[in-house]
Structures are given as structure tokens and as C-alpha cells.
């Protein structure tokens, strides 16, 4: 009995010693200073420094020398343009040459309940005319829209080229563009029925456009002006041979 007790006591001491010896060793593997250090934060990639500027133009259109039948509502006749301009500084003068490329969309909302119609006459020639919409229609909107691929070019001056985001700036230049789509759109209600009619044709619009631009503002917020030097129509409805566009609006710079 004494031997059994002695063996049991010896085993108990061994187990206790083993447990006591291993536990501190586990704790020693942990460096207390590591637990007190702040949690590591993954390094985020810096925002890419993209050369040039992405600009958005929002403007309102006016037509000069236009047909009275096609008078437009200036507030409802808008331009939306998105251009990428590449900055090419001229030394440390504060001047930059800025070539670019982008898309422009012009919309002309007619004041009267009229639209454009394109037909082919008996001789096979295309004719574009102004048509009055059905008297029974309650017309909400009638407009002409066209989209262009544009190539702008500007010379821009920064009063403080070291801080362009806050600097006064002014630019002059021009752009050329080619039309790639156009359509008329009419929204109306006839009795209890609401309808939308959209027709894609060229409607005698000029295939190409070109004109002068000006821009002025602070940092990425500018006022802009565009004067078209090309007629809006090439073979449009009567009275539109000399119609040209002026656009005045706001420019916002994305980067």
C-alpha cells in the first residue's frame, strides 16, 4: 500500500512538474511587447496621378439666324460634353497647351408643337421639312438631338501654376467634331394614353462642326462659352441655312 501511494505521489509530482514546465514556455513564446503594439494597417495604394484633366460641360443653347417655326426653348435646349484634355505645360510660364478628345450631345427643345420630317421625293432626293404635330396631342416635349465625337484644343493660363486647384485660370481655343447619330423625340398624351415617338435620321444636320471656345474660373470650376462657326444644318428645313449655335454653361473638372 505504501508502494502504491509512493508511485501515485511520484506520478502526480511528475505530471504537475510537466504541466508547470510547459505552460510558462508557451507564455514565453509570446512577446508581451507585441501585444501592446498597435494593429498593423494595410498600406493602401496611393491614388494614381493621371496626367491631364477629365472635364464635364453642362450648357444651354441659343440658335442664331434660325427659322421662326423652329424657335427653341433655351432652358430646355442643353448641351452635355465629356472631354479628356492632356496638359502640356510651356516651361514655368503658367501656360499650357491642352489637346483632347471626347463626346458631345446637343439637344434643342422646340417652343412650338412642331418637329422635323425627312422624306424622299419622287426624284429620289431627300427633303427635310418642318411639320406641325397633331392638334389632338397634348405635347409635353418635342426636340432634336445630335451626338458628336469632338477634338478640342485649348491654350490655358494659370495665375498660380504651383496650386492649380485654387488658381484663377483662363483658356481660349476651339474644337472640331463629327456627328455620329441624331434623332427627334416627341413626348405627348392622346386622351388617356401617354406615348413617346423617337425617329433616328440625319434631318439635314451638318455632318461636321467646328467653332471657338473660351473658359474662365477658379480651379476645377469654370464658366465656358462656345461659338459655332459651322452652320447647324447642311440641307435642313426652309429658313435654317444660316442657323448657328451658341452655348453658355459650366465646366466641372473631375481630376
Amino acid at each position: 500500500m505504501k508502494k502504491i501511494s509512493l508511485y501515485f505521489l511520484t506520478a502526480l509530482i511528475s505530471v504537475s512538474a510537466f504541466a508547470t514546465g510547459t505552460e510558462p514556455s508557451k507564455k514565453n513564446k509570446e512577446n508581451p511587447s507585441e501585444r501592446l503594439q498597435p494593429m498593423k494597417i494595410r498600406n493602401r495604394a496611393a491614388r494614381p496621378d493621371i496626367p491631364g484633366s477629365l472635364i464635364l460641360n453642362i450648357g444651354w443653347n441659343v440658335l442664331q439666324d434660325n427659322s421662326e417655326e423652329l424657335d427653341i426653348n433655351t432652358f430646355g435646349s442643353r448641351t452635355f460634353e465629356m472631354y479628356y484634355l492632356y496638359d502640356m505645360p510651356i516651361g514655368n510660364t503658367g501656360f499650357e497647351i491642352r489637346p483632347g478628345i471626347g463626346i458631345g450631345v446637343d439637344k434643342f427643345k422646340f417652343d412650338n408643337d412642331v418637329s422635323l420630317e425627312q422624306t424622299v421625293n419622287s426624284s429620289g432626293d431627300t427633303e427635310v421639312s418642318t411639320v406641325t404635330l397633331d392638334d389632338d396631342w397634348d405635347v409635353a416635349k418635342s426636340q432634336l438631338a445630335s451626338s458628336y465625337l469632338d477634338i478640342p484644343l485649348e491654350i490655358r493660363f494659370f495665375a498660380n501654376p504651383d496650386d492649380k486647384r485654387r488658381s484663377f485660370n483662363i483658356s481660349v481655343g476651339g474644337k472640331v467634331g463629327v456627328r455620329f447619330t441624331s434623332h427627334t423625340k416627341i413626348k405627348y398624351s392622346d386622351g388617356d394614353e401617354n406615348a413617346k415617338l423617337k425617329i433616328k435620321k440625319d434631318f439635314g444636320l451638318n455632318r461636321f462642326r467646328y467653332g471657338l471656345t473660351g473658359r474662365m474660373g477658379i480651379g476645377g470650376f469654370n464658366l465656358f462659352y462656345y461659338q459655332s462657326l459651322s452652320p447647324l444644318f447642311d440641307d435642313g428645313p426652309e429658313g435654317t441655312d444660316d442657323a448657328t449655335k451658341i452655348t453658355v454653361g459650366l465646366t466641372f473638372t473631375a481630376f
Side-chain angles (χ1 to χ4, degrees):
M1 185 69 180
K2 289 182 179 181
K3 289 183 178 182
I4 295 174
S5 299
L6 183 60
Y7 289 149
F8 179 77
L9 182 60
T10 302
L12 184 61
I13 293 172
S14 300
V15 172
S16 180
F18 177 78
T20 305
T22 55
E23 188 64 23
S25 64
K26 289 182 180 179
K27 291 182 179 179
N28 289 338
K29 289 180 180 179
E30 288 185 353
N31 189 342
S33 63
E34 291 182 357
R35 290 181 293 173
L36 298 176
Q37 290 180 356
M39 182 177 61
K40 292 182 179 179
I41 300 176
R42 184 177 62 185
N43 292 329
R44 294 184 179 179
R47 181 179 176 180
D49 186 13
I50 301 174
S53 304
L54 181 67
I55 67 171
L56 175 65
N57 293 331
I58 301 175
W60 290 265
N61 299 317
V62 174
L63 285 182
Q64 298 176 303
D65 300 322
N66 187 34
S67 165
E68 291 185 2
E69 290 183 293
L70 292 178
D71 281 344
I72 64 170
N73 180 299
T74 298
F75 185 76
S77 300
R78 294 184 292 272
T79 283
F80 303 92
E81 297 171 334
M82 182 176 290
Y83 296 148
Y84 170 75
L85 300 176
Y86 184 74
D87 303 335
M88 301 171 61
I90 304 176
N92 296 320
T93 61
F95 285 94
E96 292 180 349
I97 298 175
R98 309 177 82 209
I101 191 169
I103 300 295
V105 178
D106 287 342
K107 294 183 178 182
F108 302 99
K109 181 181 178 182
F110 300 126
D111 257 341
N112 305 315
D113 291 344
V114 297
S115 187
L116 298 182
E117 181 179 61
Q118 181 172 318
T119 58
V120 178
N121 61 24
S122 57
S123 302
D125 298 324
T126 300
E127 292 183 345
V128 179
S129 58
T130 302
V131 294
T132 302
L133 301 179
D134 195 316
D135 290 337
D136 294 333
W137 291 359
D138 183 8
V139 179
K141 178 170 65 174
S142 176
Q143 69 178 20
L144 171 68
S146 53
S147 301
Y148 299 83
L149 176 65
D150 290 328
I151 299 178
L153 176 65
E154 296 181 354
I155 298 177
R156 193 175 194 183
F157 172 73
F158 287 94
N160 182 7
D162 294 328
D163 189 7
K164 295 180 181 179
R165 293 186 178 183
R166 297 179 178 84
S167 173
F168 169 80
N169 60 84
I170 186 170
S171 64
V172 293
K175 67 180 178 183
V176 295
V178 57
R179 178 178 50 82
F180 60 87
T181 185
S182 54
H183 65 267
T184 57
K185 183 165 68 172
I186 305 168
K187 288 185 177 181
Y188 66 96
S189 57
D190 187 3
D192 295 333
E193 181 182 357
N194 294 323
K196 179 170 65 174
L197 179 61
K198 185 176 181 179
I199 300 175
K200 288 188 176 183
K201 291 184 179 180
D202 61 55
F203 296 104
L205 288 165
N206 203 333
R207 175 78 173 177
F208 300 96
R209 71 174 181 179
Y210 52 89
L212 302 176
T213 60
R215 201 182 314 277
M216 179 176 63
I218 303 292
F221 178 77
N222 291 254
L223 301 176
F224 82 89
Y225 174 87
Y226 171 73
Q227 171 66 66
S228 175
L229 300 180
S230 58
L232 181 63
F233 292 94
D234 181 32
D235 189 16
E238 185 178 353
T240 62
D241 293 344
D242 299 321
T244 56
K245 184 190 79 155
I246 292 176
T247 305
V248 178
L250 305 174
T251 296
F252 303 93
T253 303
F255 59 80

